[in-house]
Amino acid sequence: MAELRTEEEQLDAIKRWWKENGTALIAGVAIAIAAVVGWNAWQSYQENQAQAASMRYQHLVNLTAEAELDATRVSEAQALVAEITDSHSRTLYADLARLIDARLAVSQGELGQARDTLESLIDASRRDYIQGLARLRLARLQLEEGAAEAALDTLSGAIPSSLAAQQADVRGDAHLALGREDEARQAWQDALTYAEQRNQPVYGVQLKLEALGIEEATL
């Protein structure tokens, strides 16, 4: 009988505990299940968004692959850039789409618009390499506009070491535009050195050095 009473007491204790804590326990389990389901749904959403951004960007690349684009293609490409940057603003594809947008603006003679796009990308992007590419393209654009000093200022910003050869190449162009042949020669020599160290091509630099030497020899 003592054992029976003990079992009954234990059963009563369990009932009381369940009455006091059962609701909270059920709620906790429900919250945990909802969190897992929500996380899986969020992960699936992110994957779908990334895939959609990738597909739209690839379409943009294909659309702008030709050297010369008619007005219809340019308009379609610009609309696609807007769609990618609006719907997938935090992705790498949005940054790459802005680079293409700047190139499209240059091809249309809209240098001011291209400059604004590149400056905005430099300020907004969280990716060092993309910022570096944008700075290089902005510096080249500034050289085209005759603003060599502004190009040098742009090149003094943070640019990854992987782009050091290209940075030195454009710096040489800027110095030459300002009549600083010695600085131009040194910058181009640096470009060749960086390219060799990283085993990456940098096109036209040797020809620039040779042309500079020929020019000096004929003076």
Side-chain angles (χ1 to χ4, degrees), residues 14-27:
I14 292 172
K15 290 179 179 179
R16 287 195 301 273
W17 182 90
W18 179 258
K19 184 177 180 180
E20 296 171 358
N21 302 284
T23 301
L25 180 61
I26 292 173

Side-chain angles (χ1 to χ4, degrees), residues 1-16:
M1 294 294 294
E3 293 179 357
L4 182 59
R5 284 196 299 273
T6 300
E7 291 175 355
E8 290 176 349
E9 289 171 355
Q10 290 175 347
L11 182 59
D12 289 341
I14 292 172
K15 290 179 179 179
R16 287 195 301 273

Side-chain angles (χ1 to χ4, degrees), residues 129-140:
Y129 190 82
I130 293 294
Q131 288 180 322
L133 280 178
R135 282 194 170 93
L136 287 174
R137 296 188 183 185
L138 177 60
R140 291 190 180 104

